[in-house]
Structure formats: structure tokens, C-alpha cells
Amino acid sequence: MKFTQTLIAVAILSMTPSAFAADAVATVNGKQVKQSLYDVIVKDVTANGQKVDANTKEAIVDELVSSELVYQEAQRLGLDKQADFTARNELASRKLLTSMFLQDYVKKNPISDADTKAAYEKYKTAYGDKEYSARHILVKTETEAKDIIAQLGKGGDFAKIAKEKSLDPGSKDKGGDLGWFSPATMVKPFSDVVANLQKGATSNTPVQTQFGWHVIKLVDTRAAQPLAYDKLKDGLQKNLQQRNLEKLMSDLRAKAKIDISK
């Protein structure tokens, strides 16, 4: 059984307790290894859902012993005194402490059900009261889009033209079909035109977005069907927590004096 490189060596559990101090789980070449190191590993293994039975303990210990032997040899060679090691060790330590701080902050500042439900109501408002089914043809230039509108005006088949000319890889093979969507999920110039089209109608002028030029056909409309609260609850809580963390960082920066060398 393999364990991560973060495991620090300890001695085989079968050694008698009298072989080392009460706060150590083992000695390796006379060096005591603290019980707390072993305990952290067991805690992490358990947190990952793995049962720590006798076989697991033996595998952990075996890996830890090997790790300690290599650790001692690296120290003997002076690798721990090299500048690269010192810098990387400091970065690893900072990363670990930062992670622990953020985990503690999240634990002490949980997202309430009230905040989550309020976020859900905002989502529903932004989602709107209608959904649209539409097709589009995306091209690079306004001239191309105008030519397509002219072809459609002469009886051209929208789906066929979309398959031939559209630059949207997600819809071109489906004849430009975008399926059902909320206006909130589309860029505004696009959603504004869709919302003002009559069922079955095609935009009579090209629509420009950051993606290019669109020719749009509204297929159908229906009452909005936003996802249920239970489906979005976890995602909403994560988004709210992320905003809290961003505010934390903003506040820390605002209070700090930061000088960046140039």
C-alpha cells in the first residue's frame, strides 16, 4: 500500500513501548519520532474514508520508516542546507499555514440557510420568467451575416446553412439549435434580440457579440423552469463562501502596507 510523500517515518508498531519515550512512536537510528506525526497521518487517512485496521497501520508504518531513513540520509548529505531546499521549505510551510487559516475561517464563518435562500431568490429573479428555444448561425463578419439573411429571405433552410457556415462548434452540427435557455445565460445583445422576436421569426439584421456576428431564429418560448433550490444549494453556498474569502483578502489588503520592489 502506497502513501503520500508527506508521510514522515516512524518505527514498526511491533516494537515494544519501552524502546522509546512516551511521546514518541519509535526511534530510527536513535532519533525519536513523535506520536503526533503518526496521529496526523491516521487522521488524514480516516478523513478520506479509509478504515485504519491492522494492515493499514502496518503499511503506514512501513512507509514512514523508509521515509525517515531517506530523510536522515538527506540531512547527512547537507541537502537541507541548500538554498533551493530552504526556499521550497518556506513556501510549503506558508502554503500549509495559509490553507489551515482559510479552513479555520470557513469553519468559523459558515453560510447560513437564510443567506443561501436569499441567493436562490436572486438567481430566480435573474433567470427571468421565460425560457427560449432558438437557433443561430455564427460568422466572422457582418457582410457574411447579411448574405445569410438574404438567403433565408429567399427560402433558404436555416438548419442546412448553419451546418455549412456556422462557426459555433457546439450547435452547428445540430443546425444551429441551442436548445432551451434563459436570457440570463446568454450575452445581452443576443438575449435582447431573442426576447423581442416573434415565434418562428428570424432576426432581420445581424447581431454582434464578442463571439462574432449572429443570425438568430426563435423557435419557441415557455414559462421559466429554473432548477430547484435543493439542486443549487451546495453550489450557491460555495459561491457565497468564495465571495466571503474574496472580501477577507480585500480587507487584509486594505489594512496592510504593501511595497513592491521594482
Side-chain angles (χ1 to χ4, degrees):
M1 185 180 295
K2 298 294 184 181
F3 292 83
T4 65
Q5 294 180 349
T6 58
L7 301 178
I8 303 175
V10 296
I12 300 175
L13 286 178
S14 59
M15 294 177 65
T16 60
S18 60
F20 38 81
D23 63 343
V25 293
T27 59
V28 177
N29 292 328
K31 179 181 178 181
Q32 296 181 348
V33 182
K34 294 180 180 180
Q35 174 73 43
S36 58
L37 298 178
Y38 176 82
D39 291 342
V40 167
I41 296 166
V42 172
K43 181 179 179 181
D44 288 346
V45 170
T46 303
N48 287 329
Q50 185 173 342
K51 183 179 179 180
V52 182
D53 55 19
N55 289 333
T56 303
K57 291 179 179 179
E58 182 179 355
I60 292 173
V61 170
D62 184 66
E63 182 70 20
L64 294 175
V65 169
S66 298
S67 179
E68 175 65 19
L69 290 169
V70 174
Y71 180 71
Q72 292 183 17
E73 184 66 10
Q75 287 183 313
R76 187 186 69 79
L77 295 174
L79 299 181
D80 57 326
K81 302 298 191 296
Q82 293 185 359
D84 188 59
F85 170 81
T86 301
R88 289 179 183 275
N89 190 44
E90 181 180 351
L91 287 172
S93 178
R94 288 163 64 94
K95 184 176 181 179
L96 176 60
L97 188 59
T98 298
S99 177
M100 292 181 68
F101 167 77
L102 293 177
Q103 289 176 20
D104 183 65
Y105 178 84
V106 168
K107 183 178 180 179
K108 292 178 178 178
N109 296 272
I111 302 301
S112 68
D113 286 340
D115 288 340
T116 308
K117 289 177 180 178
Y120 179 70
E121 291 303 318
K122 289 183 179 179
Y123 153 75
K124 288 200 300 182
T125 298
Y127 194 91
D129 58 359
K130 283 186 179 181
E131 289 181 345
Y132 299 87
S133 173
R135 294 178 182 270
H136 83 136
I137 301 170
L138 175 65
V139 291
K140 286 185 178 180
T141 68
E142 183 179 15
T143 298
E144 290 176 279
K146 286 182 176 180
D147 288 342
I148 290 171
I149 291 173
Q151 291 179 47
L152 294 171
K154 297 177 181 178
D157 183 271
F158 195 101
K160 182 179 179 181
I161 296 174
K163 289 180 180 180
E164 293 173 351
K165 298 185 177 182
S166 182
L167 301 177
D168 178 11
S171 69
K172 68 173 296 180
D173 291 338
K174 297 182 289 185
D177 187 10
L178 295 169
W180 289 98
F181 58 88
S182 160
T185 63
M186 296 294 184
V187 291
K188 197 172 188 308
F190 191 99
S191 61
D192 284 348
V193 170
V194 169
N196 286 290
L197 284 173
Q198 296 296 314
K199 180 178 176 179
T202 300
S203 55
N204 54 21
T205 58
V207 181
Q208 186 179 25
T209 70
Q210 65 263 45
F211 304 106
W213 293 85
H214 307 258
V215 178
I216 307 169
K217 180 178 181 179
L218 178 61
V219 178
D220 203 355
T221 64
R222 69 183 183 188
Q225 299 180 26
L227 293 173
Y229 175 72
D230 289 344
K231 295 286 187 181
L232 294 176
K233 181 179 179 180
D234 289 347
L236 290 171
Q237 288 181 335
K238 288 178 181 178
N239 287 338
L240 290 172
Q241 192 64 76
Q242 181 60 37
R243 292 179 191 175
N244 281 354
L245 291 174
E246 290 172 357
K247 184 178 184 304
L248 169 66
M249 291 305 303
S250 177
D251 291 344
L252 289 174
R253 282 181 173 272
K255 291 187 293 185
K257 181 181 179 181
I258 301 174
D259 295 314
I260 300 176
S261 300
K262 296 183 179 180

